[in-house]
Amino acid sequence: MYKVKVYVTLRESVLDPQGTAVKKSLKTMGYGAVEDVRIGKYMELSLEKTDRDVHETVKEMCERLLSNPVIEDYRYEIEECVAQ
Amino acid sequence: MKFAVIVFPGSNCDVDMYHAAKDELGEDAEYVWHDETSLDGYDAILLPGGFSFGDYLRTGAIARFSPVMSEVIKAAKAGKPVLGVCNGFQVLLEAGLLPGAMRRNESLKFICRPVGLKVENNNTMFSSAYEQGEVIQIPVAHGEGNYYCDEETMASLKQNNQIVFTYHGTNPNGSIEDIAGIVNEQGNVLGMMPHPERAVDTLLGGADGLKLFKSIVKQWRESHAVKA
């Protein structure tokens, strides 16, 4: 059994209006040190072990559905664990 | 001419699309549920607006893998007219039938009002009934219509005259180069954020969208008259 953590973020070249709004809010709250805020997504997947390489499977899922390569980057962490 | 109106769970402009094709154009139209596996017998495909699959993950991302989408891709490759409006446009982008991606509106607000559009290219099967440079009024209704593509893609969009509609006056969502609607390189797949199906009768506040649907029928009739 694998536990997979996927992080999807907007590419640096893509403006993030949500992040900009949150940054403004933080500044208004008095956190003047905030220089930038980028909002992304975090996903947790549980995967059964198969014959297929788990990295290959996760990469494929990230590129086909979990992220949109036109505007987003992704990274992931894979942890092997015992099925409960 | 027979239109297919694709219906995903969460589509909500399907009835307007059907009304435009069936009642306003007087053509055949049928609703096609997203898990159908054939689009044989249809001459044109309409992907309506709405919130397919609740806009979960990204707009259009889940609908793009609905069973009917492989048939939509097949129809697009075969040169049939494919029109995606609003969420339909987002699905076409996710499916890779059109280049680029959608971001959240610059204002972060859902915008719902009529906007001015300029016809940038009337030499397509979707815009031939308009004058080049004509300014029309069509309503928008979206939270995520801020079109984006990289510089390379933008250069090729311009070079191939793929930009069909731009916002005239104010740009409601912050889209790059004021883009409101684009076609694919072959010219048979159009994606646009504004809703022409909501502007097909003066009773609805305007009929500027009707010419778009009439263009599709005109092109189809002409191409089929030649073959007959």
Side-chain angles (χ1 to χ4, degrees):
Chain A
M1 195 76 182
Y2 297 106
K3 189 120 191 159
V4 183
K5 296 173 176 175
V6 179
Y7 304 85
V8 177
T9 49
L10 273 180
R11 289 205 164 171
E12 260 182 57
S13 55
V14 178
L15 286 174
D16 176 11
Q18 285 189 89
T20 309
V22 171
K23 181 183 86 178
K24 273 187 195 159
S25 182
L26 286 171
K27 281 199 179 279
T28 313
M29 288 161 74
Y31 298 103
V34 179
E35 270 187 21
D36 196 20
V37 177
R38 307 281 292 172
I39 294 188
K41 291 170 194 154
Y42 168 67
M43 296 165 231
E44 281 182 354
L45 284 72
S46 300
L47 253 71
E48 267 177 45
K49 262 192 187 176
T50 64
D51 293 340
R52 207 176 163 199
D53 177 47
V54 65
H55 287 271
E56 197 188 4
T57 308
V58 171
K59 254 187 201 165
E60 193 179 288
M61 292 193 297
C62 286
E63 276 158 29
R64 292 187 69 201
L65 179 63
L66 303 181
S67 80
N68 179 344
V70 179
I71 47 168
E72 292 171 326
D73 289 320
Y74 67 87
R75 65 187 172 86
Y76 59 83
E77 293 158 12
I78 298 175
E79 205 177 291
E80 210 173 332
C81 57
V82 186
Q84 285 157 3
Chain B
M1 186 173 186
K2 195 170 177 186
F3 287 85
V5 178
I6 310 293
V7 187
F8 300 102
S11 294
N12 65 10
C13 300
D14 42 334
V15 179
D16 304 68
M17 278 290 205
Y18 182 89
H19 169 76
K22 184 91 176 176
D23 305 325
E24 297 293 339
L25 296 176
E27 302 292 333
D28 272 349
E30 264 176 47
Y31 294 113
V32 177
W33 187 233
H34 71 112
D35 61 5
E36 289 289 330
T37 50
S38 168
L39 284 173
D40 291 348
Y42 293 101
D43 304 304
I45 318 295
L46 305 174
L47 295 165
F51 300 85
S52 58
F53 296 90
D55 277 354
Y56 295 163
L57 194 62
R58 290 182 310 280
T59 54
I62 298 178
R64 177 258 174 277
F65 288 102
S66 280
V68 78
M69 280 309 294
S70 36
E71 286 294 303
V72 173
I73 291 168
K74 212 163 90 184
K77 303 276 180 230
K80 288 184 186 175
V82 177
L83 167 66
V85 168
C86 200
N87 189 225
F89 186 8
Q90 294 160 341
V91 174
L92 291 175
L93 291 171
E94 283 286 340
L97 286 173
L98 291 171
M102 282 302 168
R103 297 168 300 182
R104 188 73 72 88
N105 290 348
E106 211 169 47
S107 64
L108 296 176
K109 285 180 184 145
F110 188 94
I111 313 155
C112 185
R113 60 178 162 86
V115 296
L117 291 186
K118 187 176 168 199
V119 180
E120 297 284 349
N121 179 5
N122 76 339
N123 191 22
T124 78
M125 63 171 77
F126 304 97
S127 58
S128 61
Y130 295 104
E131 299 293 327
Q132 180 72 17
E134 189 176 341
V135 174
I136 56 174
Q137 294 291 318
I138 306 275
V140 291
H142 60 253
E144 203 150 317
N146 183 351
Y147 178 80
Y148 171 85
C149 66
D150 60 25
E151 281 174 28
E152 199 183 322
T153 308
M154 178 56 73
S156 77
L157 284 178
K158 284 182 176 170
Q159 201 189 338
N160 304 319
N161 276 323
Q162 288 173 252
I163 302 170
V164 181
F165 299 109
T166 53
Y167 296 108
H168 183 76
T170 39
N171 176 340
N173 52 38
S175 65
I176 190 165
E177 301 265 348
D178 298 330
I179 282 177
I182 54 167
V183 282
N184 63 343
E185 231 178 293
Q186 294 70 36
N188 68 308
V189 178
L190 170 70
M192 63 191 293
M193 287 316 292
H195 289 268
E197 80 284 3
R198 294 193 190 177
V200 290
D201 194 316
T202 45
L203 197 65
L204 297 170
D208 283 357
L210 196 54
K211 281 188 199 167
L212 190 150
F213 294 98
K214 285 189 169 162
S215 302
I216 303 174
V217 177
K218 187 176 140 229
Q219 194 273 343
W220 187 82
R221 292 223 190 291
E222 282 167 5
S223 66
H224 283 72
V226 173
K227 280 180 201 162

